[in-house]
Amino acid sequence: MAQVKLNAVRKTYPNGFEAVKPASFDITDGEFVVLVGPSGCGKSTMLRMIAGLEDISEGELYIGETVVNNVDPADRDIAMVFQNYALYPHMTVRKNIGYGLKNRKIPSTEIDAKVAEAANMLNLNDYLDRKPSQLSGGQRQRVAMGRAIVRDPALFLFDEPLSNLDAKLRNQMRIEIKALQRRLGVTAVYVTHDQVEAMTMADRIIVMNGGVIEQIGTPSEVYHSPASTFVASFMGAPPMNLFDGHANGTEVHVGETPLHRHTHQGKVTVGIRPEDIVPDVTGPLAINVNIIEELGAHRLLHGHTADQAVTIHVAKDFPAVTGPMTASLKPDAVSLFDSETGHRL
Amino acid sequence: MKRAGFSDRWLPVLFLLPQLTIIFIFFYWPAAHALRSSFFLQDPFGFGETFVGMKNYTMLLDSASYMRAAWFTVIFTSLVTFLSLSIALLLAVKADKVIRGAKTYRTLLMWVYAVAPPVAGVIGLVLFDQSWGPLRDFVALFGWDFRLGVNYFDTAFTLVVMSVWKQLPVNFIFFLSGLQSIPRSVREAALIDNRSAAGRFWDVTFPLLAPTGFFLLIINITYSLFDTFGIFDTQFKGEPGNNPMTLVYKVYLDGFRGNDLGGSSAQSVILMVLVLALTIFQFRMVERRIHYT
């Protein structure tokens, strides 16, 4: 159990590329933090710096109370689960799980007990004497988890552990990992590019883009009050609608329609979640629907308002047709962003 | 599964014919000839032959010089195989860690591969020459009076050094590519699991290199037994004397220098059996070898 603290941690490569711009944040004891962002955003580099697989160019990294910048990965009291599981192909499941313990000079009876306990927890009892090549993807994933939990680490690190699994298994493992982390109470840092994983698993989400932290917040904060247009469009499927709008000091307009009261003046970007636009025959927003996406539990209407693309999320019992319709907004639905910088106003 | 096949029965035979002809002319026919000759005492000038049964073989087993060559072959093969494998592995592990100028190092290490065995032998002669060899002068500084071609041990030493040197690049290339095919994440997982670099090497890297290593073991044994002929030949061209020699060189020496074709044939039959055994052993091991995914 430990808290993690990053103080202006930065990563530059010899060719001058800055993969992670100076980043500072704290992770409290037992927290599940998800680093999310598109590929190349620096999230994996950040995780690898925490693990010690990548050197930290500048800044300090604390695990617990100590600076661990120059501590070997094996001495950081961490456990890591890799995207392709990184199991030792020549060792049985039992040896894979116990390898880290063996190197810590733990008596073999104790290792056996811990391996058995982990195998029980992960339903791996029948597979302990198999090699990784004889296991399915989900089972390998479990072995990788087992290898992490037997070490009883201060910190779990996950590097896109579910990316190689099919969609169904991914949903199941998502819940299992979250439940396991809760039960063990170990601090965890989890890297993913999948915003659904981020939303469902995280206590707090760190959204990264281009080596910069865009926002740190609970899933609800990140979803409902995105700090930038990047976060607004990255989190949520379908993403937040972003309109070019104009503010006159009292009201914000999209096209001719006043949508929001705000004291800002000039051009703004107006963000509205698809589910915050409600079909309403007396509503102010005129929309022309082109395409209806049927998703079973609900429908997505894609169309235009004031010549700008819009997506609306409607209930399955709403009689959707293509063509013109009107809609209104839920209260507090509007997020305003600076049209130049993309930052939230 | 449906197997692709030929509708005409003679077409595949036709395709195989060139290869089969070559194998027959250059392997089966001479091998059969050697087997037959090994039971005869041949006239050196080809004026006839006398059937002697197993006498050629029994004479070999009683021959001190043959047993000496056999022992030398065993020691020579073990030394060359062990040294060229372990040094190449060490070089590959170190080269794998080099990041700057990696290509230059690798090219430099592979260069020797282009040197033909007889040339390697000549280089050895030059380096260890009695009167002006730089390496002879170097070891003389430590009080080693090096006599190439005169002292049995010193000659054997040169042969081993040159044979190992010549074989290093091949082993190096295979070990390096073997190392690079180990997934990075597996090595990183080991980095978190084990703080000792030596421990990580023996527990994770080495076992994952085992398939490459086994393949190279066979290649190196064959090399030491047969392909070192050129090095031996240049070392004592014309003056074999009591110099160390391998069984393969002795086949040539007794047959073509000593004109004892029957005895030489018996020797090559023994070598054929040896290679056969080695091949069976290899196939057995390859079958049993675990395939990692």
Side-chain angles (χ1 to χ4, degrees):
Chain A
M1 311 317 117
Q3 71 254 26
V4 178
K5 181 178 164 69
L6 278 81
N7 184 16
V9 167
R10 179 168 182 244
K11 177 71 193 182
T12 47
Y13 285 104
N15 63 9
F17 176 68
E18 192 177 23
V20 174
K21 301 215 164 73
S24 302
F25 56 86
D26 295 345
I27 300 169
T28 56
D29 194 4
E31 197 180 12
F32 197 112
V33 168
V34 174
L35 284 166
V36 68
S39 32
C41 71
K43 57 188 189 301
S44 282
T45 312
M46 184 88 89
L47 187 80
R48 293 168 56 80
M49 285 195 286
I50 298 174
L53 300 173
E54 202 87 61
D55 287 335
I56 297 171
S57 311
E58 274 173 40
E60 295 94 43
L61 167 68
Y62 295 80
I63 296 178
E65 300 298 320
T66 44
V67 177
V68 295
N69 284 38
N70 295 316
V71 175
D72 271 352
D75 296 329
R76 290 192 182 189
D77 200 11
I78 53 165
M80 184 154 167
V81 178
F82 292 83
Q83 179 174 356
N84 57 8
Y85 323 129
L87 302 178
Y88 307 119
H90 57 294
M91 295 186 194
T92 58
V93 168
R94 188 192 305 279
K95 286 190 172 155
N96 259 291
I97 297 178
Y99 182 62
L101 299 178
K102 201 184 101 192
N103 296 317
R104 292 174 163 193
K105 311 266 185 297
I106 291 170
S108 63
T109 48
E110 201 176 319
I111 295 179
D112 291 346
K114 285 194 169 200
V115 171
E117 192 191 330
N120 245 333
M121 212 185 281
L122 296 160
N123 291 324
L124 284 169
N125 284 320
D126 300 340
Y127 308 107
L128 281 175
D129 294 314
R130 293 206 193 166
K131 296 266 173 71
S133 56
Q134 297 164 292
L135 301 178
S136 71
Q139 289 163 342
R140 288 182 205 185
Q141 177 61 60
R142 270 174 224 220
V143 177
M145 288 292 300
R147 194 163 66 175
I149 61 180
V150 284
R151 303 182 49 133
D152 207 0
L155 177 63
F156 276 144
L157 301 173
F158 297 94
D159 189 5
E160 311 215 11
L162 305 182
S163 309
N164 289 6
L165 300 179
D166 62 54
K168 196 177 168 197
L169 205 53
R170 202 180 307 154
N171 292 346
Q172 182 194 335
M173 287 304 291
R174 206 163 70 197
I175 298 164
E176 282 186 28
I177 291 179
K178 178 73 183 164
L180 206 59
Q181 188 266 346
R182 278 273 166 76
R183 180 141 49 112
L184 301 169
V186 177
T187 316
V189 182
Y190 186 107
V191 161
T192 180
H193 61 264
D194 181 350
Q195 51 94 17
V196 178
E197 267 173 40
M199 291 292 292
T200 51
M201 299 178 84
D203 294 325
R204 268 197 310 160
I205 295 178
I206 299 178
V207 187
M208 289 188 72
N209 183 33
V212 180
I213 294 180
E214 293 267 340
Q215 185 170 10
I216 303 178
T218 62
S220 154
E221 282 166 3
V222 168
Y223 189 79
H224 294 111
S225 315
S228 66
T229 49
F230 172 79
V231 178
S233 57
F234 189 77
M235 302 300 288
M240 191 179 241
N241 291 298
L242 293 173
F243 305 111
D244 293 332
H246 185 81
N248 59 14
T250 52
E251 280 181 324
V252 179
H253 295 258
V254 168
E256 297 303 313
T257 320
L259 288 180
H260 189 61
R261 302 187 70 79
H262 200 276
T263 54
H264 189 81
Q265 275 204 322
K267 285 170 74 177
V268 288
T269 302
V270 179
I272 306 166
R273 289 278 172 204
E275 65 276 16
D276 289 342
I277 304 177
V278 195
D280 180 352
V281 279
T282 60
L285 204 60
I287 297 167
N288 196 7
V289 178
N290 311 3
I291 290 172
I292 300 168
E293 265 189 299
E294 178 65 68
L295 293 170
H298 58 264
R299 294 190 179 107
L300 295 175
L301 313 182
H302 299 283
H304 288 87
T305 178
D307 289 332
Q308 301 186 50
V310 61
T311 301
I312 315 171
H313 175 123
V314 295
K316 62 181 171 186
D317 45 13
F318 177 77
V321 285
T322 53
M325 65 175 282
T326 54
S328 58
L329 303 183
K330 287 189 188 168
D332 300 325
V334 173
S335 294
L336 284 185
F337 304 98
D338 187 304
S339 62
E340 299 289 320
T341 62
H343 292 315
R344 188 181 184 84
L345 291 172
Chain B
M1 204 174 80
K2 196 169 180 282
R3 292 177 62 183
F6 291 98
S7 50
D8 183 354
R9 117 198 327 240
W10 295 110
L11 192 64
V13 176
L14 195 70
F15 285 147
L16 283 173
L17 208 59
Q19 181 68 34
L20 288 175
T21 314
I22 290 171
I23 294 178
F24 181 80
I25 294 176
F26 290 100
F27 182 67
Y28 288 115
W29 186 56
H33 211 75
L35 189 62
R36 186 186 166 281
S37 313
S38 70
F39 298 112
F40 286 87
L41 183 64
Q42 302 275 353
D43 181 275
F45 305 103
F47 291 126
E49 51 187 22
T50 324
F51 183 77
V52 293
M54 295 298 285
K55 203 150 180 220
N56 281 327
Y57 291 95
T58 51
M59 270 177 74
L60 280 180
L61 295 178
D62 291 338
S63 149
S65 78
Y66 187 76
M67 290 325 261
R68 209 156 106 102
W71 267 117
F72 176 75
T73 308
V74 170
I75 293 164
F76 176 80
T77 305
S78 324
L79 269 179
V80 171
T81 304
F82 175 75
L83 289 174
S84 57
L85 282 177
S86 48
I87 296 172
L89 180 59
L90 183 72
L91 288 174
V93 168
K94 294 296 173 196
D96 191 41
K97 290 195 181 122
V98 173
I99 298 161
R100 270 165 202 265
K103 269 197 172 163
T104 318
Y105 282 115
R106 283 171 202 171
T107 314
L108 285 173
L109 282 164
M110 288 175 204
W111 232 344
V112 184
Y113 186 52
V115 178
V119 180
V122 173
I123 294 175
L125 278 176
V126 173
L127 288 175
F128 289 101
D129 186 88
Q130 279 232 45
S131 33
W132 36 274
L135 285 182
R136 196 212 80 94
D137 292 348
F138 178 72
V139 296
L141 294 177
F142 303 95
W144 185 357
D145 185 15
F146 201 93
R147 288 157 183 271
L148 175 62
V150 178
N151 182 303
Y152 185 89
F153 178 82
D154 292 352
T155 312
F157 179 84
T158 311
L159 288 167
V160 170
V161 168
M162 296 324 285
S163 306
V164 169
W165 177 68
K166 178 74 194 74
Q167 185 63 6
L168 280 182
V170 184
N171 297 347
F172 170 76
I173 294 166
F174 275 98
F175 273 135
L176 188 66
S177 68
L179 279 171
Q180 288 175 344
S181 66
I182 299 176
R184 189 171 77 149
S185 59
V186 170
R187 294 195 198 191
E188 287 176 346
L191 212 56
I192 293 174
D193 272 344
N194 193 343
R195 73 169 58 81
S196 140
R200 288 196 298 269
F201 178 79
W202 291 113
D203 291 343
V204 178
T205 314
F206 192 73
L208 292 179
L209 276 180
T212 313
F214 178 73
F215 165 76
L216 284 178
L217 180 71
I218 299 292
I219 294 284
N220 279 271
I221 291 174
T222 332
Y223 163 80
S224 321
L225 281 175
F226 299 98
D227 297 351
T228 48
F229 181 89
I231 297 175
F232 279 83
D233 196 42
T234 39
Q235 293 274 343
F236 14 87
K237 191 97 201 162
E239 47 203 46
N242 75 336
N243 278 323
M245 69 182 73
T246 55
L247 291 177
V248 170
Y249 197 71
K250 196 167 164 53
V251 169
Y252 162 78
L253 209 66
D254 290 353
F256 294 97
R257 289 302 186 77
N259 276 346
D260 176 13
L261 290 178
S264 165
S265 297
Q267 290 183 30
S268 37
V269 170
I270 292 175
L271 282 175
M272 267 194 280
V273 173
L274 195 70
V275 172
L276 191 69
L278 197 64
T279 312
I280 291 170
F281 169 72
Q282 182 191 4
F283 278 121
R284 280 271 170 88
M285 288 300 285
V286 167
E287 270 171 20
R288 214 182 301 162
R289 200 184 75 194
I290 310 126
H291 290 270
Y292 307 128
T293 44

